[in-house]
Amino acid sequence: MRILLAAVLFVFITALVVCMILSLRSKKSIGRYVACLISGVIPPIVGNLILMLSTNHTISMLGFYIYFLGMDATVYSLLRFSYAYCEIKPPKWLKRIPDILIISDVFLYALNPILHVSFSAKKIMVDAHAYYKLVPYAGQTYHRVIAYGIFLAVVIVFLTKAIKTPKIYSEKYWVILFSSVVAGALETYYIFSKITLDISMLAFGIFGILVYYFALHYRPMKLLDKMLSGIASDMPDALYFFDTSGKCIWMNEPGRLLIGTLPNDYDGVRDNLTFLFGNIDFESGGWSKKQTLGTGDEAQYTNLLMRTLTDDDGKATGTYLSIRDVTDEQNEMKREMYNSTHDSLTGFYTKEYLYEAIEKRLRSDTDTDYMIGYMEISNFKVINDVFGKRFGELTIKKAAEFIMEGVSSKCLYGRLSEDAFGILIDKEDFNSKPVDEKISGFTVSDKDLEHHVLIHYGIYDITEGEEIDVPLFFDSARLATAKIADSYQTLIVYYDDKIRNEIIHEQLISNQLHEAIETNQIRPFLQPIVDGKGILVGAEALVRWVHPDDGLKPPGTFIPIFERNGLIALVDKHMWKCACDILSNWKERGIEQFISINISPKDFYFMDVVSELKKIVEESGIDPVKLRVEITESVMMTDAIDIVKIIGDLREYGFIVEMDDFGSGYSSLNMLKDIPVDVLKIDMQFLRDSERNLKAGYIIKNIIRMSEDLGIDTLTEGVETAAQFERLFDMGCKLYQGYYFSKPLPVDEFEKQWFD
Ligand code: C2E
Ligand code: CA
Ligand code: CA
């Protein structure tokens, strides 16, 4: 019996050593705790083995020491292991207690050979064999208390963890708890039963091996199984599993619903699938296909995927088929596609999509003669501002309807921008006369509001064999339209040589601008501004281009071009600088008069007007009050810039702000309450009307009076006759400007005439 037990213990020791080495090599962080624990478990077993085989007192004493100190190591490393395994972090002070207890116990054992406080050994005879039995003293009781105490702590740790953890995960805690309790119980039995052979050592060995397995190799297969089948069941895709013979062995709920069979009725699965999807290759895995069931709005889009399942050795264990319903995605994609290619308001193609479609058509259909049409709603922003956004949208919709009604089946059309449409016109079908008539009668009405909307139509005739460049075609049609932008008579315009030459001309003078500014070909002329007594109070700086070839160019010949391409900012900055230079020169000569400069509405888009003006004034060292700033009325109506803030900033800095061309647009006096200007420049057009039209004269009178009330000075420009001057004077106008006093003059002439 003794020999057999010894042999078994020896086998355990060997197995534990192997486990310990493997644990050390493990990549898992728990590995070293396992190794420590096993290295703690081995000594008690070795100690017992020695005790079992020894017949000598000294060797037996050695066995006891190994046994007891090993027990200390075992419980201590078990506690550390339990912390790591159960993933708990006790406070530091709590961790210290077992350290102190174990050290004190080791200390007692160290003193035992001299003081005999722990134990000694007594020879007894078992089955005619000499055997040394333990004689415990007080120190040994202390050892047991410590060992049991720590063991109890371990049991508590595992028990709480196992209870707190969800059932499917707690298996690994229960196993270790159970086996450690069994080992502990057997040990207790050995201690108290006084039997000579410590069979609990067998439990120790088993415990060590269990720990090694559960901590390092255990995979909760039941859990994995549950999780995987849970995932498969919860998948929105229909799933079918087939064994190697091709028989269906499982399907999830969506799979069942798709083919409409009873739960667990796997026999008809293949036939049902074949019925729905036609021939399906159940035999080979590794294929996928898209398939549509039904047609039209009812259509159901699916993705089928067949895969082979293999075991670890790569042997096929079956196949599975997944069927995903992608109808929503497909519809969403179609919707997105539609939205990205169609304008939401009109349902028309977007610009990009139209360009693409036209290009395709022009390349594929070379037999038809096509033209490109660019249709623009004039003053659309004004319509929006004055009649409201709703009316603006209605206008766009009506224009879209108008296009749809008028075009032939071969036409393509789309919305190019907020206020413009593009059309590919079949030349044969297009007759400009009726179109012109229809456009000129285009009105939009909403309830009791009716408005005649001005539409311009630019056409680019594509010549045969011309290189296809859709954006360029539209650019040309648009440029042609721009040429008639203000006309109420001409509504349809063809891009022709004249327009082409004009465009070339525009490019030419744009290229010349830089040099023209540097060499002062671009320079201000001054037109006097006088008060009621005809005394000079200031001048307006009006740009002139003294061109080496073309002679004196008035602003009307180049300002609109530079406003279109943004070069206006260069012209205006230059003009402002010139005005400041003149003012600085006047300052030196003691001349008190001011100069008004013009700001183009487009300047606000191309530069920070306020800081630019400040910079120029600072550099020239003049008083900002001498530089008056003219902002046209039309700027006040655009939402894109915060004109109230800009005017506020300008006035705060000391500029006097004038509203230019008042009355030319659709502004109302009402607006003046919100926009804080110092001077109102009444447009000369207004004045001219007033001669013919008494009513207009009455309006001017009122404007002047109301401005007075608001503390705003009025300046009338375009005064040409003494009669006009007198009438305006009677109406209470403060300042005057016009040919009656003087035309705009070159600076030196102006100075000669007014200062000498
Ligand atoms: P505006 O600011 O309304 O300037 C007044 C225009 O009326 C000037 O035309 C002036 O010569 C003209 N004018 C003055 N008195 C009379 C008159 O009694 N009868 C008639 N029929 N016309 C008169 P101009 O110099 O041809 O300038 C035209 C427009 O060009 C200006 O209108 C202004 O909007 C723009 N402009 C002129 N200089 C500049 C500039 O430096 N920058 C910017 N952005 N625009 C400028
Ligand atoms: Ca002006
Ligand atoms: Ca003006």
Side-chain angles (χ1 to χ4, degrees):
M1 180 68 186
R2 190 200 276 248
I3 298 298
L4 184 67
L5 191 60
V8 172
L9 288 186
F10 186 76
V11 171
F12 269 125
I13 290 169
T14 317
L16 285 171
V17 169
V18 172
C19 288
M20 187 180 78
I21 293 167
L22 292 176
S23 311
L24 273 176
R25 283 192 191 159
S26 161
K27 286 189 186 75
K28 290 187 182 169
S29 60
I30 192 85
R32 54 197 181 89
Y33 291 98
V34 176
C36 268
L37 177 57
I38 296 177
S39 69
V41 170
I42 295 171
I45 305 177
V46 172
N48 266 288
L49 191 64
I50 293 171
L51 286 172
M52 239 175 254
L53 301 178
S54 144
T55 48
N56 169 294
H57 179 260
T58 315
I59 292 179
S60 294
M61 281 302 276
L62 182 69
F64 278 124
Y65 277 119
I66 293 175
Y67 178 17
F68 298 143
L69 288 170
M71 280 312 284
D72 278 349
T74 302
V75 286
Y76 185 74
S77 55
L78 178 60
L79 185 66
R80 303 297 295 258
F81 167 77
S82 70
Y83 291 157
Y85 192 69
C86 298
E87 288 162 332
I88 60 162
K89 280 206 175 77
K92 252 200 180 128
W93 61 268
L94 193 65
K95 270 177 143 176
R96 280 286 122 74
I97 295 175
D99 295 2
I100 296 164
L101 294 176
I102 295 288
I103 290 170
S104 62
D105 193 39
V106 172
F107 187 66
L108 277 184
Y109 280 126
L111 291 178
N112 193 46
I114 313 155
L115 300 179
H116 306 292
V117 283
S118 290
F119 68 90
S120 65
K122 182 174 90 191
K123 187 174 182 179
I124 54 165
M125 295 303 288
V126 180
D127 301 338
H129 280 282
Y131 180 76
Y132 283 86
K133 190 175 168 9
L134 178 81
V135 181
Y137 304 139
Q140 190 60 11
T141 312
Y142 178 72
H143 165 76
R144 282 175 189 159
V145 169
I146 289 172
Y148 275 103
I150 295 178
F151 182 68
L152 189 67
V154 170
V155 170
I156 291 171
V157 167
F158 268 98
L159 198 61
T160 28
K161 183 73 184 179
I163 289 170
K164 270 196 198 159
T165 310
K167 218 170 130 202
I168 46 168
Y169 296 99
S170 63
E171 192 179 66
K172 63 178 199 169
Y173 302 113
W174 286 118
V175 167
I176 301 222
L177 178 64
F178 180 73
S179 52
S180 62
V181 168
V182 167
L186 285 174
E187 173 72 8
T188 312
Y189 174 70
Y190 157 72
I191 291 170
F192 293 104
S193 70
K194 311 230 161 17
I195 57 163
T196 45
L197 289 179
D198 186 355
I199 48 164
S200 75
M201 284 305 115
L202 294 178
F204 265 58
I206 292 169
F207 173 67
I209 291 166
L210 278 178
V211 165
Y212 167 75
Y213 171 73
F214 273 90
L216 295 173
H217 294 290
Y218 170 73
R219 281 175 66 221
M221 287 316 276
K222 251 203 319 220
L223 170 68
L224 282 178
D225 263 5
K226 255 205 180 120
M227 271 161 66
L228 288 176
S229 71
I231 290 170
S233 304
D234 289 347
M235 279 235 288
D237 302 0
L239 284 181
Y240 309 88
F241 285 84
F242 304 93
D243 65 12
T244 40
S245 71
K247 216 176 110 214
C248 180
I249 48 170
W250 188 82
M251 67 189 154
N252 64 358
E253 188 60 9
R256 188 184 73 76
L257 291 174
L258 180 68
I259 54 173
T261 57
L262 292 172
N264 302 324
D265 174 13
Y266 299 127
D267 292 342
V269 169
R270 278 182 66 151
D271 289 344
N272 283 324
L273 283 170
T274 311
F275 175 75
L276 269 179
F277 293 94
N279 255 344
I280 290 187
D281 177 4
F282 290 103
E283 269 63 49
S284 58
W287 56 263
S288 65
K289 66 172 178 179
K290 292 183 194 310
Q291 197 158 340
T292 311
L293 306 178
T295 50
D297 285 349
E298 302 281 283
Q300 191 181 2
Y301 300 91
T302 56
N303 285 352
L304 279 72
L305 179 89
M306 185 69 122
R307 285 275 173 277
T308 305
L309 296 165
T310 51
D311 62 11
D312 290 348
D313 304 328
K315 251 182 27 206
T317 53
T319 50
Y320 78 85
L321 172 68
S322 90
I323 300 175
R324 172 170 294 188
D325 185 336
V326 290
T327 311
D328 288 347
E329 281 107 310
Q330 199 72 21
N331 287 341
E332 179 65 17
M333 227 163 76
K334 275 191 188 164
R335 227 180 347 261
E336 265 170 26
M337 177 87 172
Y338 183 88
N339 287 343
S340 70
T341 53
H342 289 73
D343 169 44
S344 59
L345 186 63
T346 56
F348 275 24
Y349 287 168
T350 57
K351 177 174 141 188
E352 290 71 24
Y353 196 59
L354 177 70
Y355 281 13
E356 225 173 85
I358 290 180
E359 168 140 13
K360 234 186 247 168
R361 172 71 65 80
L362 292 178
R363 294 201 187 283
S364 61
D365 177 9
T366 45
D367 298 336
T368 316
D369 287 336
Y370 284 113
M371 300 192 297
I372 292 286
Y374 178 87
M375 209 180 96
E376 190 177 66
I377 298 170
S378 203
N379 291 325
F380 181 66
K381 278 206 173 58
V382 180
I383 294 175
N384 253 335
D385 285 345
V386 176
F387 303 117
K389 209 167 166 250
R390 210 174 79 100
F391 193 84
E393 286 188 353
L394 186 69
T395 306
I396 296 292
K397 276 193 207 157
K398 288 277 177 231
E401 275 169 31
F402 172 83
I403 291 171
M404 275 194 301
E405 281 162 16
V407 295
S408 74
S409 59
K410 270 195 165 175
C411 287
L412 292 170
Y413 45 85
R415 188 166 172 197
L416 301 182
S417 64
E418 196 183 24
D419 55 2
F421 297 91
I423 307 154
L424 177 73
I425 308 163
D426 178 359
K427 203 168 170 178
E428 219 165 61
D429 278 351
F430 187 78
N431 191 345
S432 75
K433 212 164 165 247
V435 174
D436 191 282
E437 270 165 21
K438 268 171 101 183
I439 290 180
S440 60
F442 186 76
T443 45
V444 178
S445 44
D446 183 28
K447 292 184 191 134
D448 29 291
L449 189 67
E450 192 177 78
H451 182 67
H452 173 253
V453 176
L454 184 60
I455 287 183
H456 289 115
Y457 203 159
I459 293 169
Y460 180 82
D461 194 349
I462 305 168
T463 42
E464 224 185 300
E466 186 176 2
E467 194 197 326
I468 295 169
D469 186 341
V470 180
L472 185 73
F473 297 165
F474 272 108
D475 264 353
S476 306
R478 185 180 53 79
L479 287 168
T481 318
K483 292 288 161 208
I484 53 161
D486 300 321
S487 168
Y488 282 82
Q489 276 78 42
T490 317
L491 301 180
I492 299 183
V493 61
Y494 282 82
Y495 179 90
D496 57 12
D497 283 349
K498 191 171 152 255
I499 291 174
R500 181 177 290 132
N501 289 338
E502 278 172 18
I503 292 166
I504 291 170
H505 171 71
E506 284 180 10
Q507 277 162 355
L508 184 76
I509 66 162
S510 297
N511 290 340
Q512 292 171 342
L513 181 66
H514 276 280
E515 202 194 322
I517 287 176
E518 268 163 31
T519 57
N520 272 328
Q521 289 171 32
I522 307 269
R523 63 178 81 141
F525 272 35
L526 295 179
Q527 186 178 31
I529 295 168
V530 300
D531 64 9
K533 295 187 195 115
I535 296 170
L536 183 81
V537 290
E540 179 175 3
L542 294 156
V543 68
R544 296 292 180 269
W545 186 339
V546 188
H547 197 277
D549 307 324
D550 304 349
L552 189 72
K553 283 165 79 73
T557 60
F558 56 91
I559 293 273
I561 297 170
F562 296 146
E563 281 186 334
R564 272 201 292 277
N565 61 21
L567 290 173
I568 186 66
L570 292 182
V571 176
D572 278 351
K573 265 195 279 189
H574 173 69
M575 283 292 289
W576 304 342
K577 219 173 276 157
C578 291
C580 287
D581 287 346
I582 298 168
L583 282 170
S584 132
N585 173 268
W586 286 2
K587 186 177 163 186
E588 275 169 26
R589 293 158 60 187
I591 296 170
E592 289 293 321
Q593 274 78 2
F594 64 81
I595 292 180
S596 299
I597 45 113
N598 287 283
I599 297 182
S600 161
K602 298 290 187 291
D603 284 335
F604 297 103
Y605 296 99
F606 298 114
M607 64 175 139
D608 180 350
V609 171
V610 178
S611 52
E612 205 62 59
L613 274 171
K614 282 188 195 170
K615 202 176 85 192
I616 293 172
V617 166
E618 258 153 42
E619 277 166 11
S620 64
I622 57 151
D623 183 357
V625 82
K626 292 282 182 246
L627 191 74
R628 296 195 172 191
V629 175
E630 293 191 9
I631 300 175
T632 54
E633 186 207 55
S634 60
V635 174
M636 315 291 173
M637 299 309 289
T638 46
D639 297 334
I641 52 169
D642 188 354
I643 194 67
V644 176
K645 181 173 186 310
I646 289 174
I647 293 178
D649 289 350
L650 288 171
R651 294 180 76 210
E652 198 186 345
Y653 189 70
F655 293 114
I656 288 179
V657 178
E658 306 188 332
M659 188 185 285
D660 202 0
D661 299 344
F662 186 80
S664 64
Y666 46 89
S667 56
S668 67
L669 269 178
N670 212 19
M671 191 181 74
L672 287 179
K673 291 199 196 103
D674 306 321
I675 299 176
V677 295
D678 301 288
V679 179
L680 210 61
K681 286 190 87 167
I682 303 170
D683 188 52
M684 51 194 167
Q685 195 60 42
F686 229 73
L687 185 70
R688 241 165 251 134
D689 283 351
S690 74
E691 297 217 317
R692 273 178 269 125
N693 187 338
L694 262 178
K695 209 166 151 199
Y698 173 76
I699 293 172
I700 289 200
K701 210 159 134 186
N702 271 307
I703 291 176
I704 294 173
R705 192 174 303 150
M706 279 183 75
S707 310
E708 233 163 52
D709 289 347
L710 289 167
I712 300 172
D713 278 347
T714 42
L715 185 161
T716 319
E717 56 180 338
V719 182
E720 289 181 343
T721 64
Q724 287 171 350
F725 178 40
E726 271 161 33
R727 266 194 78 192
L728 287 163
F729 186 79
D730 289 343
M731 289 179 192
C733 183
K734 290 273 154 57
L735 302 173
Y736 310 85
Q737 181 184 347
Y739 294 168
Y740 176 61
F741 308 101
S742 166
K743 288 202 164 189
L745 300 170
V747 180
D748 50 349
E749 260 177 63
F750 175 89
E751 290 182 343
K752 209 180 283 160
Q753 194 163 326
W754 290 90
F755 298 148
D756 292 347

